[in-house]
Amino acid sequence: MPIAKVLLLVAHAPTRHELEHALQAAKFEVVQPPEGIWQAQGTSSVLSAEGIDLIIADPTGLATPTVAALLEKAPYLPVVLFATRVGTETLMQAVRHSVVEVLTPPVRYENLREVLRRALARQEVIRRWVLLEARRHTQELRLHLDELQTLLRVGRALTSELDLDTVLGTVVHAAVELTGAEESTLLLLDEASGELFLRASYDFKNGINTLRLKVEDTLAGSVVRSGQAVVLDQDTPEKIKTSYLVQSLIYVPLYIHGHIIGVLGVDNREQRAHFTQRDVARLTALAEYAAVALDNAQLFAAVNAERRKLETVLQNIKEGVLVLNAHGETVLVNNTARMVLEAPADRQLIGRNLVEICRNAEVEEGAQQALNGAEYHTEITLSDGRVFSMEAVPIPNVGVALTFYDITHFKELDRIKSEFVSAVSHDLRSPLTAILGYVDLLSRAGPLNPMQNHFIERVRLNVENITNLINDLLDLGRIEAGFDAEKTPLDISTILRYAIDGWQPRAQEKRQQLVLHLADNLPLILGHAVRLRQMLDNLIGNAVKYTPEGGLIEVIAESRGDQVIIRVRDNGPGIPPSEQPYIFNKFFRGSNVASEQSGTGLGLAIVKSIVENHHGRIWVDSEVGKGTTFTVVLPGLEEGSAGAIRHEEDTKEREP
Ligand code: ADP
């Protein structure tokens, strides 16, 4: 046993020496501060608590800072008071420093040994207890730290994971790791049936993957019902789930946004181990992480499923869809659009600029127009002859969307229909001519009474109407088919004069004024004289026909740049705004004209076809009760770009 070191703080020198000798005789090592220093401030630096096992101090020594400093470092250091009389101050000091024994003079050797032995024994007990406590706390802290680290690790893994199965697997594994249980299960509530079903498990020995539990009468169900954790231990083994006994178990609820969505459980079947409240707290903490991660993963899975559904629909619809971002790069392209772009199936299109992946100028033009904010519609013909209607529209915050619709079938139908109409019309014309001929001959065959004459007149009128209709149909067919492609440079003034002259008699019959305002030096145009005359005849004819007696019809021709602008203006009935968009359609007849007015509804359709054949443009401005103006713009011979001027006309020239 090592020799104990005693610090002696006694002021009276003879007593000190006496004590020193007695201590040495009792086999103690005596430590004394250098003479005079022990009373001074700050002596604690000279003496260190480690080397000393016990302090003997008289009331003066007890009051020194040395004792206070040493006890601060080593609170369990036993202090023995050496005093003859103990005054109130000394007593208070003694209590403050937890003095354990008191020695009174005269010092007897036996007494000294006994007092010091008791003081040291007591110190040893305290020291051991402190050490033990410290070890216990350290161990507990370490456990706590491990637990926190595991939770942190699991939490990180969970919140960064979006795959539902991985999330569930991590949760059940962590549950076992945190609680030291044998197995873990995660049950989710099936909203449809209201039952709990096994969604994930770790080391679950039954291997029952289809485990389903009722909420009403099961232990796991009670967690759902009460929202509280359930703990069972080996004193209350209970048959749970379907067919097995557990020694101990914890179930905690899984909450998302205040609703219970399932139960997380751990259990021991073999080992007789208790679960503690601490295990419940750990599992509850894990359940909180798990619920957030589950929510995220479920949301992600739902969004993903929705996206995949949309993608499948989009990929497989008959319409082509191509979406470009604001830089013209592909962000979405479906199978049909890929085919319209005539891109190989294995070619990566996403992220590529349209100009790199598309050779079709119309598609590029459409995309460009839409990128500039304008809608664009056109028809495009693929190399295999298929025709698609293309629509390009700007999409705010995305870019542009181009849609393609296969109209090959309709085009073909239209062609067949036109051919049919053309053929039938042609075949009808000869018998009609014959009928007219015979009607004319009737009067020569002998005298006819007035009623017979009247009937013959009706026959002639009706046959003429049918003939006109057939002629219009045939013309339209021919114009649409582009049979009049041959054009020559011509002066429209001449055609205008002839047309006005032609209609003058009819206008005079209706006492209408038909006037021509012709500007000088109209540019020559490249055109088909017969068709241009037909266009003017239809427009002027309509004005004369629909304007009441005594009306005014003006035909104005002028030039703007290289273009010729022709206006046919009347002060007739006008066209209701709701009908204006349809008047150029085939067979459309307005509600503004009396039904007995003869007409086929084809006149303006023919006019429009002729104008378009000449790369021109036509529109109507009309006000009911005031009159109607048709404006035709035709590009002059020198005209390079009709489009640019068409645009200018649109914005500047249109009358209110
Ligand atoms: P139709 O004259 O044979 O009816 P059009 O195609 O020439 O056929 O004209 C279509 C419709 O446009 C007419 O039925 C009429 O309602 C309207 N319309 C055409 N020109 C005029 C006009 N100058 N004034 C008023 N309405 C007109």
Side-chain angles (χ1 to χ4, degrees):
M1 179 158 164
I3 297 170
K5 261 189 203 169
V6 178
L7 173 65
L8 199 55
L9 297 173
V10 174
H12 187 244
T15 314
R16 191 167 66 242
H17 290 313
E18 198 183 322
L19 267 171
E20 192 179 354
H21 288 136
L23 284 166
Q24 277 163 353
K27 296 267 185 289
F28 286 100
E29 188 185 332
V30 179
V31 182
Q32 287 192 54
E35 197 71 43
I37 291 177
W38 66 274
Q39 262 182 324
Q41 297 288 326
T43 46
S44 58
S45 61
V46 178
L47 297 165
S48 85
E50 277 98 80
I52 292 162
D53 300 305
L54 191 141
I55 300 171
I56 299 178
D58 63 5
T60 323
L62 200 63
T64 58
T66 307
V67 175
L70 287 172
L71 285 176
E72 200 168 302
K73 279 190 196 163
Y76 49 83
L77 203 60
V79 181
V80 176
L81 178 64
F82 179 78
T84 322
R85 278 176 292 104
V86 178
T88 323
E89 197 153 318
T90 307
L91 188 65
M92 277 162 62
Q93 195 71 263
V95 170
R96 224 174 281 137
H97 290 331
S98 311
V99 165
V100 293
E101 294 287 340
V102 180
L103 264 177
T104 46
V107 179
R108 271 202 299 276
Y109 173 75
E110 279 306 316
N111 187 22
L112 178 72
R113 264 185 75 100
E114 184 50 27
V115 165
L116 294 199
R117 192 196 59 75
R118 277 205 312 267
L120 283 172
R122 192 183 140 79
Q123 181 234 17
E124 185 54 24
V125 169
I126 294 175
R127 203 180 58 86
R128 270 208 204 124
W129 179 82
V130 168
L131 267 180
L132 260 174
E133 271 305 280
R135 210 170 288 153
R136 200 170 61 79
H137 278 294
T138 313
Q139 205 165 357
E140 206 155 296
L141 273 176
R142 193 167 296 143
L143 264 175
H144 211 67
L145 200 71
D146 281 354
E147 194 177 296
L148 280 177
Q149 267 168 353
T150 310
L151 267 176
L152 192 72
R153 181 170 51 75
V154 172
R156 265 200 209 124
L158 285 181
T159 39
S160 63
E161 182 58 58
L162 286 171
D163 177 64
L164 194 56
D165 286 321
T166 314
V167 164
L168 296 170
T170 312
V171 170
V172 284
H173 182 234
V176 165
E177 202 181 334
L178 277 171
T179 56
E182 282 172 13
E183 55 185 25
S184 161
T185 50
L186 195 146
L187 303 152
L188 289 183
L189 258 182
D190 176 2
E191 276 178 21
S193 68
E195 288 177 339
L196 284 165
F197 66 98
L198 184 71
R199 183 62 180 78
S201 64
Y202 186 80
D203 266 3
F204 189 51
K205 291 178 190 68
N206 276 36
I208 311 167
N209 291 328
T210 52
L211 180 69
R212 291 188 87 87
L213 300 171
K214 287 207 164 41
V215 168
E216 301 85 57
D217 51 8
T218 58
L219 198 62
S222 75
V223 176
V224 176
R225 280 179 278 131
S226 68
Q228 301 293 319
V230 167
V231 188
L232 289 182
D233 55 34
Q234 65 245 58
D235 303 328
T236 52
E238 190 161 318
K239 196 161 190 182
I240 57 158
K241 298 170 186 168
T242 48
S243 58
Y244 65 93
L245 270 166
V246 293
Q247 302 286 352
S248 50
L249 161 151
I250 311 176
Y251 273 146
V252 294
L254 284 170
Y255 275 100
I256 290 183
H257 310 307
H259 293 287
I260 296 177
I261 57 137
V263 174
L264 177 62
V266 286
D267 63 64
N268 291 308
R269 277 201 237 186
E270 310 291 336
Q271 64 186 22
R272 291 188 143 263
H274 264 301
F275 284 122
T276 61
Q277 274 313 309
R278 189 116 167 215
D279 291 322
V280 179
R282 286 178 195 140
L283 206 62
T284 307
L286 176 66
E288 273 170 33
Y289 273 125
V292 173
L294 217 69
D295 195 24
N296 283 347
Q298 270 170 346
L299 276 178
F300 184 73
V303 169
N304 240 357
E306 206 56 36
R307 209 195 60 205
R308 267 200 295 273
K309 212 190 303 172
L310 273 179
E311 243 174 45
T312 313
V313 171
L314 210 64
Q315 280 306 332
N316 294 298
I317 51 171
K318 287 257 180 329
E319 283 76 23
V321 180
L322 171 69
V323 180
L324 308 175
N325 65 16
H327 308 295
E329 292 152 355
T330 313
V331 289
L332 192 151
V333 56
N334 73 353
N335 294 336
T336 309
R338 183 179 270 278
M339 182 202 58
V340 172
L341 294 175
E342 306 195 51
D346 56 348
R347 183 119 174 251
Q348 174 65 30
L349 302 185
I350 301 295
R352 306 277 301 275
N353 202 295
L354 184 69
V355 287
E356 296 172 38
I357 55 171
C358 169
R359 306 239 164 321
N360 190 312
E362 287 282 2
V363 176
E364 274 181 46
E365 171 68 12
Q368 200 48 56
Q369 292 273 355
L371 281 171
N372 293 339
E375 291 187 7
Y376 188 86
H377 173 233
T378 192
E379 284 175 12
I380 53 176
T381 308
L382 303 193
S383 54
D384 61 5
R386 273 182 298 172
V387 187
F388 279 77
S389 161
M390 182 188 90
E391 203 83 55
V393 288
I395 309 280
N397 303 325
V398 176
V400 296
L402 286 89
T403 45
F404 306 93
Y405 185 66
D406 191 344
I407 53 166
T408 316
H409 181 62
F410 300 111
K411 279 278 174 196
E412 183 57 12
L413 281 181
D414 200 46
R415 191 189 60 76
I416 293 168
K417 183 208 71 186
S418 297
E419 258 180 32
F420 171 77
V421 170
S422 188
V424 171
S425 311
H426 210 266
D427 290 349
L428 277 174
R429 213 152 54 163
S430 319
L432 283 172
T433 317
I435 293 172
L436 271 185
Y438 282 107
V439 166
D440 283 344
L441 283 176
L442 266 178
S443 56
R444 296 187 203 167
L448 297 171
N449 66 29
M451 187 174 276
Q452 285 167 330
N453 267 329
H454 174 69
F455 288 163
I456 286 172
E457 205 38 49
R458 295 300 299 257
V459 171
R460 189 204 316 279
L461 218 70
N462 279 296
V463 174
E464 267 172 11
N465 275 348
I466 300 176
T467 313
N468 284 342
L469 173 67
I470 286 167
N471 285 340
D472 278 355
L473 275 174
L474 282 172
D475 282 346
L476 200 59
R478 241 183 251 129
I479 297 163
E480 281 181 347
F483 287 159
D484 305 324
E486 234 172 77
K487 298 193 178 72
T488 49
L490 46 86
D491 179 5
I492 192 84
S493 323
T494 320
I495 304 175
L496 276 160
R497 281 198 202 93
Y498 278 122
I500 293 284
D501 288 349
W503 282 100
Q504 216 52 271
R506 178 75 190 115
Q508 274 158 16
E509 265 174 42
K510 291 182 78 177
R511 296 192 310 284
Q512 290 166 332
Q513 255 186 290
L514 174 59
V515 280
L516 174 65
H517 305 285
L518 201 56
D520 295 332
N521 299 327
L522 287 183
L524 291 183
I525 60 169
L526 193 63
H528 192 287
V530 176
R531 292 297 171 214
L532 287 173
R533 171 69 194 268
Q534 189 176 13
M535 170 191 91
L536 290 168
D537 278 346
N538 283 1
L539 289 175
I540 301 168
N542 273 352
V544 170
K545 179 163 67 171
Y546 296 121
T547 304
E549 298 221 339
L552 170 67
I553 295 136
E554 293 167 286
V555 179
I556 306 133
E558 55 192 5
S559 63
R560 166 153 311 168
D562 289 328
Q563 296 180 319
V564 177
I565 299 166
I566 302 162
R567 292 192 174 84
V568 179
R569 178 184 294 162
D570 65 51
N571 59 357
I575 305 163
S578 60
E579 291 183 0
Q580 287 177 20
Y582 307 108
I583 54 168
F584 295 103
N585 290 357
K586 288 171 201 166
F587 301 110
F588 182 85
R589 304 213 64 206
S591 64
N592 59 332
V593 300
S595 55
E596 60 271 11
Q597 279 277 18
S598 67
T600 59
L602 285 173
L604 287 179
I606 291 173
V607 169
K608 188 161 185 264
S609 289
I610 295 172
V611 172
E612 282 173 356
N613 244 331
H614 285 79
H615 307 291
R617 207 178 140 123
I618 182 168
W619 65 86
V620 67
D621 294 292
S622 182
E623 206 177 322
V624 173
K626 293 219 166 137
T628 304
T629 304
F630 283 93
T631 307
V632 176
V633 179
L634 295 173
L637 197 54
E638 304 300 315
E639 166 61 22
S641 146
I645 299 171
R646 259 184 260 155
H647 178 70
E648 186 197 340
E649 274 300 319
D650 260 355
T651 52
K652 291 195 190 152
E653 269 296 311
R654 290 197 72 157
E655 285 158 19

